[in-house]
Amino acid sequence: MITNAETRTNVHEIAPDVYRINTPVNTPDGFSFNFNQYLLVDDEPLLFHTGPRQLFPLLREAISAIIPVARLRYVGFSHVEADECGSLNLLLAAAPQALPLCSSIGAMVSVNDLADRPPRALADGETLVLGRHTVQWIDTPHVPHGWDAGLLMETTQRTLFCGDLFTQGGSGEVALTESDILGPSEAFRKPLDYFAHAPQTATTLARMAAMMPRTLACMHGSAWRGEGASLLRHLAEAVRG
Ligand SMILES: [Fe+2]
Ligand SMILES: [Fe+2]
């Protein structure tokens, strides 16, 4: 479903109750990119990533096509960057009961100060029941970047909200694919490596693989369905070089 004819912002359900909101963008130098946010609809709806602040009207419009924005209860994000959480305070204003959801490090270092309401900080491995769905927080410091980084796993359908992992350039027009995303994401990473290459990167990726995700909800590009453990192991090898 296209929710904005001008920008081609679109919404697709990529796993049960999980909606991908995609906005393609073109930079002034002709570079094609895209930003995804994911809405998990449940008794306590959760949005993972907010997109940049300047795209907030498009996000609000897209969420409103699925649920009233005021119903949001959690606004989660991996780490502090504009595309991860730039619209956080605008969302908190639009959804009076919503709380930021982030890592304990994220809360301590940034979010306690940046956010207009105190966050619900999750410890590594902590779970949060949203209704039919439960999500689990995984600390992933410096993977792919940011001391505060972490990711969310939806434990029933095993959808991993994998943030910047497997970032693919272009418009991201295919919402969900079963074909290879590692090749395109490695092609994107080559000239513009966004990984911190910290000593624990391989261990962190192996930990995510052990959770055996079935859907990878990528923040940039197509979401992917398949045997997530194997793809994460291949990513670890590629990053190791
Ligand atoms: Fe990032
Ligand atoms: Fe990102």
Short mmCIF file of all heavy atoms in Angstrom, two decimals, residues 27 50 54 90 104 190 240:
data_model
loop_
_atom_site.label_atom_id
_atom_site.label_comp_id
_atom_site.label_asym_id
_atom_site.label_seq_id
_atom_site.Cartn_x
_atom_site.Cartn_y
_atom_site.Cartn_z
N THR A 27 19.51 11.51 -2.79
CA THR A 27 20.32 12.62 -2.31
C THR A 27 20.57 13.58 -3.47
O THR A 27 20.41 13.19 -4.64
CB THR A 27 21.67 12.11 -1.75
OG1 THR A 27 22.37 11.49 -2.81
CG2 THR A 27 21.46 11.12 -0.62
N THR A 50 12.60 5.22 13.98
CA THR A 50 11.66 6.32 13.73
C THR A 50 11.88 6.99 12.39
O THR A 50 11.03 7.76 11.95
CB THR A 50 11.82 7.43 14.80
OG1 THR A 50 13.04 8.16 14.53
CG2 THR A 50 11.87 6.86 16.20
N GLN A 54 13.13 14.79 9.53
CA GLN A 54 12.52 15.49 8.40
C GLN A 54 11.51 14.63 7.64
O GLN A 54 10.72 15.14 6.86
CB GLN A 54 13.62 15.99 7.44
CG GLN A 54 14.45 17.07 8.11
CD GLN A 54 15.46 17.70 7.17
OE1 GLN A 54 15.32 17.63 5.97
NE2 GLN A 54 16.47 18.32 7.74
N LEU A 90 9.04 13.71 18.45
CA LEU A 90 7.80 14.00 17.71
C LEU A 90 6.80 12.87 17.92
O LEU A 90 5.59 13.10 18.08
CB LEU A 90 8.10 14.20 16.23
CG LEU A 90 8.98 15.42 15.91
CD1 LEU A 90 9.49 15.36 14.48
CD2 LEU A 90 8.20 16.70 16.14
N SER A 104 20.39 -0.34 27.91
CA SER A 104 20.75 0.32 29.18
C SER A 104 21.85 1.34 28.95
O SER A 104 21.82 2.44 29.52
CB SER A 104 21.22 -0.72 30.20
OG SER A 104 20.25 -1.72 30.31
N LYS A 190 31.13 -2.03 0.72
CA LYS A 190 32.50 -1.92 0.19
C LYS A 190 33.01 -0.47 0.17
O LYS A 190 34.04 -0.17 0.77
CB LYS A 190 32.58 -2.53 -1.21
CG LYS A 190 33.76 -3.46 -1.36
CD LYS A 190 33.71 -4.20 -2.68
CE LYS A 190 34.69 -5.36 -2.61
NZ LYS A 190 34.59 -6.21 -3.77
N ARG A 240 34.67 -10.28 8.49
CA ARG A 240 36.03 -10.66 8.93
C ARG A 240 37.02 -10.47 7.77
O ARG A 240 38.20 -10.21 7.99
CB ARG A 240 36.02 -12.11 9.41
CG ARG A 240 37.21 -12.46 10.29
CD ARG A 240 37.21 -13.92 10.70
NE ARG A 240 36.05 -14.31 11.49
CZ ARG A 240 35.23 -15.32 11.20
NH1 ARG A 240 35.43 -16.06 10.13
NH2 ARG A 240 34.20 -15.59 11.97
#
